[in-house]
């Protein structure tokens, strides 16, 4: 650069585009922080403006509606994820290093945002509620991210550095296991996040199984054709069956369209009942969503009780609970509610549901501890393992949208294989004479 040319960095305070971009980044970061904490439904544009010291009029210069802001936050999240992969691809050609680096970056980014060193990224919870144009754009960026990560797996399988498996199921499970970080990392002390990242990488690279060779379930199919009745209903059988029908239909619609996109009238039409009969049982959309969560949790709690007697070792109990939940989620027995809508509940109800969810998922802690004690599971961090599995289970719905499913139990085994056996090749089973 010649001495007569201006230093662009010095001119930056006078660069209107740079100022505009910096303010937009700050708005998206603060919006993401509030959406993740309070939920998009409970967060207003006024809340975001006040948190940044802006007037609502100033905020309108950058975004006109909350739906537009949610869309921009989601795109910003996916752009950052793609940039992380760009950096990793520049740094290393080794597939497993790219995967491990991406995993580590999820934890680092969360810590950096909490400490003010980086922007907050929005959890992708309400994609289904976006208008069609925005939803397609976000889904396209998400699918591109999925394909890049799956490409690393396939490259590693091809060169022998990674263990053979169904790459689509593995990728879906890996991404799903990270979806819930924004929730559970809040309970990890700041100086423990790096250790949690190492534990997560260790689990996903080496798996839970403590034996040689790969873990192959000795348990039969997890009874896909057997219904799991949710307990805890005190009304007569007829009303119970009606309520279950409402909750199943509501769950299906909330999962498909999100809270904002779901309509009670649409659920009534789906069930072929009059609106009067429907509203006799269901007061409003928030009550229906709350009851859908409780209905799903009652089913999950029943599955965990079944798992207690389904297997003799810790790893067999985790195997049963995971596969059984997957089967319910992907069959006419379900669906179970996806936690993408959790932030639509008001704070008191959301905390109640999350506390019940954590209590239910603590069965995984018991199974993990039992497995370590009986020698079926490696010495892993049970809290990290529980939360990764819970995230993957939540993301397991509609597996047929991602891969062909000829046998649902085999699809469940493919999906959870990465958690039992890890990504890396395993030590061969000992040969005895």
């Amino acid at each position: 650069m010649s001495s007569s040319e201006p230093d662009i960095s010095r001119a930056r305070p006078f660069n209107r585009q740079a100022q505009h971009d910096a303010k937009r980044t700050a708005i998206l970061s603060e919006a993401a922080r509030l959406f993740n904490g309070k939920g998009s439904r409970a967060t207003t544009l006024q809340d975001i403006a006040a948190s940044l010291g802006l007037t609502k009029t100033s905020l309108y210069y950058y975004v006109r509606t909350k739906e537009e802001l949610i869309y921009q936050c989601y795109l910003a999240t996916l752009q950052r994820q793609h940039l992380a992969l760009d950096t990793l691809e520049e740094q290393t050609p080794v597939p497993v290093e790219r995967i491990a680096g991406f995993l580590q970056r999820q934890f680092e980014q969360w810590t950096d945002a909490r400490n003010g060193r980086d922007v907050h990224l929005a959890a992708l919870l309400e994609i289904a509620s976006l208008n069609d144009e925005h939803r397609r754009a976000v889904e396209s960026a998400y699918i591109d991210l999925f394909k890049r990560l799956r490409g690393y797996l396939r490259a590693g399988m091809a060169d022998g550095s990674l263990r053979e498996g169904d790459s689509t199921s593995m990728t879906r499970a890996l991404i799903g296991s990270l979806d819930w970080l924004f929730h559970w990392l809040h309970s990890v002390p700041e100086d423990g996040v790096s250790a949690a990242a190492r534990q997560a990488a260790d689990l996903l690279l080496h798996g839970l199984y403590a034996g040689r060779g790969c873990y192959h379930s000795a348990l039969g199919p997890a009874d896909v054709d057997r219904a799991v009745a949710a307990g805890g209903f005190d009304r007569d059988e007829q009303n119970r069956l009606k309520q279950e029908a409402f909750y199943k239909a509501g769950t299906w619609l909330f999962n498909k369209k999100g809270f904002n996109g779901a309509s009670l009238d649409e659920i009534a039409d789906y069930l072929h009942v009059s609106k009067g009969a429907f509203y006799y049982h269901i007061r409003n959309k928030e009550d229906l969503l709350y009851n859908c969560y409780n209905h799903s949790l009652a089913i999950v709690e029943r599955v965990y009780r079944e798992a207690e007697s389904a297997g003799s070792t810790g790893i067999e109990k985790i195997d049963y609970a995971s596969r059984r939940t997957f089967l319910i989620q992907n069959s006419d027995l379900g669906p179970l509610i996806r936690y993408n809508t959790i932030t639509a509940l008001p704070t008191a109800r959301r905390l109640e549901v999350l506390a019940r969810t954590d209590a239910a998922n603590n069965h995984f802690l018991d199974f993990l501890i039992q497995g370590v004690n009986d020698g079926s599971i490696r010495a892993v961090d049970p809290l990290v393992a529980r939360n990764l599995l819970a995230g993957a289970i939540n993301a397991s719905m509609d597996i047929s949208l991602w891969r062909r499913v000829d046998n649902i139990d085999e699809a469940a085994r493919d999906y959870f294989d990465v958690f039992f056996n890890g990504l890396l090749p395993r030590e061969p089973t000992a040969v005895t004479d």
Side-chain angles (χ1 to χ4, degrees):
M1 182 173 67
S2 70
S3 59
S4 62
E5 292 176 331
D7 184 341
I8 299 301
S9 64
R10 294 175 186 171
R12 187 176 181 84
F14 304 98
N15 185 320
R16 293 197 175 197
Q17 185 60 49
Q19 293 178 43
H20 180 278
D21 292 345
K23 289 179 181 178
R24 178 178 176 275
T25 297
I27 290 169
L28 295 182
S29 175
E30 186 61 14
R33 185 184 72 82
L34 292 173
F35 289 155
N36 291 348
K38 294 175 60 177
S40 60
R41 182 185 174 212
T43 302
T44 66
L45 292 181
Q46 182 62 50
D47 292 334
I48 297 165
S51 183
L52 290 166
L54 298 174
T55 65
K56 199 171 180 181
T57 302
S58 297
L59 185 64
Y60 279 144
Y61 179 72
Y62 296 90
V63 61
R64 298 299 302 175
T65 66
K66 187 163 69 172
E67 202 271 358
E68 172 71 22
L69 182 56
I70 294 170
Y71 163 66
Q72 290 189 27
C73 283
Y74 287 179
L75 273 190
T77 293
L78 288 164
Q79 287 165 358
R80 286 296 297 270
Q81 299 286 34
H82 279 287
L83 285 173
L85 294 188
D86 290 343
T87 300
L88 287 165
E89 288 173 7
E90 292 173 358
Q91 292 174 343
T92 177
V94 181
V96 69
E97 291 180 359
R98 290 177 174 178
I99 295 168
F102 179 77
L103 173 66
Q104 182 179 355
R105 183 60 196 139
Q106 307 311 299
F107 288 80
E108 290 175 347
Q109 201 285 326
W110 188 90
T111 302
D112 289 346
R114 181 167 72 172
N115 293 329
R117 297 190 298 267
D118 201 351
V119 298
H120 292 272
L121 299 181
L124 305 177
L125 298 178
E126 286 279 343
I127 296 176
S129 294
L130 299 175
N131 68 45
D132 288 345
E133 180 182 358
H134 289 167
R135 178 178 51 77
R136 283 193 295 267
V138 172
E139 287 178 346
S140 177
Y142 182 90
I143 290 170
D144 287 344
L145 180 72
F146 177 93
K147 288 180 176 179
R148 291 181 75 176
L149 290 168
R150 186 178 61 181
Y152 303 158
L153 285 175
R154 289 179 171 176
M157 291 175 189
D159 67 21
S161 60
L162 296 178
R163 190 172 54 82
E164 289 288 337
D166 186 278
S167 59
T168 297
S169 297
M170 283 182 166
T171 306
R172 186 73 180 136
L174 285 170
I175 294 178
S177 72
L178 301 174
D179 280 348
W180 207 226
L181 288 186
F182 83 98
H183 165 65
W184 67 269
L185 278 183
H186 284 286
S187 64
V188 177
E190 184 176 344
D191 59 1
V193 175
S194 293
R198 291 192 297 272
Q199 287 286 338
D202 175 73
L203 171 61
L204 294 172
L205 292 176
H206 301 284
L208 292 171
Y209 185 45
R212 299 178 67 171
C214 287
Y215 171 76
H216 296 289
S217 176
L219 303 174
D223 300 324
V224 66
D225 58 343
R226 179 166 60 86
V228 178
F233 295 93
D234 297 325
R235 301 187 180 187
D236 59 39
E237 182 66 8
Q238 188 64 29
N239 276 340
R240 186 186 71 81
L241 292 174
K242 287 180 181 178
Q243 287 178 329
E244 286 193 356
F246 291 143
Y247 300 155
K248 284 186 68 172
T251 297
W252 176 81
L253 196 65
F254 287 134
N255 288 347
K256 182 178 176 63
K257 294 190 174 183
F259 182 82
N260 293 329
S263 160
L264 294 185
D265 288 350
E266 188 174 357
I267 297 172
D269 291 340
Y270 176 81
L271 292 170
H272 303 295
V273 299
S274 70
K275 304 224 178 8
F278 181 82
Y279 285 104
Y280 175 79
H281 293 274
I282 305 298
R283 291 192 305 170
N284 54 53
K285 191 160 65 168
E286 180 195 299
D287 273 359
L288 178 59
L289 179 64
Y290 173 68
N291 282 306
C292 286
Y293 273 99
N294 283 321
H295 178 67
S296 289
L297 279 165
I299 293 174
V300 170
E301 289 161 352
R302 171 70 178 273
V303 169
Y304 287 138
R305 290 196 295 271
E306 291 176 358
E308 288 283 0
S309 57
S312 58
T313 65
I315 200 166
E316 288 178 344
K317 292 178 181 181
I318 291 174
D319 176 17
Y320 177 88
S322 300
R323 283 166 49 213
R324 180 76 169 121
T325 307
F326 180 97
L327 296 174
I328 294 169
Q329 190 73 293
N330 289 282
S331 72
D332 291 339
L333 301 179
L336 302 174
I337 194 75
R338 286 199 68 182
Y339 279 65
N340 299 39
T341 51
I342 189 66
T343 55
L345 292 174
T347 301
R349 282 185 160 183
R350 181 165 75 246
L351 292 176
E352 177 190 333
V353 167
L354 290 174
R356 186 177 176 185
T357 301
D358 285 340
N361 288 340
N362 278 341
H363 284 82
F364 269 127
L365 292 179
D366 297 336
F367 299 157
L368 286 160
I369 292 168
Q370 177 186 341
V372 172
N373 290 334
D374 66 31
S376 62
I377 293 176
R378 296 188 308 112
V380 298
D381 184 313
L383 185 64
V384 172
R386 182 201 74 167
N387 285 305
L388 292 179
L389 276 164
I393 288 172
N394 181 56
S396 68
M397 189 185 71
D398 289 337
I399 192 65
S400 61
L401 296 178
W402 297 90
R403 54 159 284 180
R404 177 175 174 175
V405 176
D406 295 317
N407 181 296
I408 195 167
D409 190 59
E410 288 301 319
R413 293 170 190 262
D414 288 343
Y415 186 82
F416 291 108
D417 177 65
V418 66
F419 296 102
F420 293 113
N421 297 309
L423 291 171
L424 296 177
R426 296 186 64 87
E427 184 179 2
T429 304
V431 177
T432 58
D433 294 332

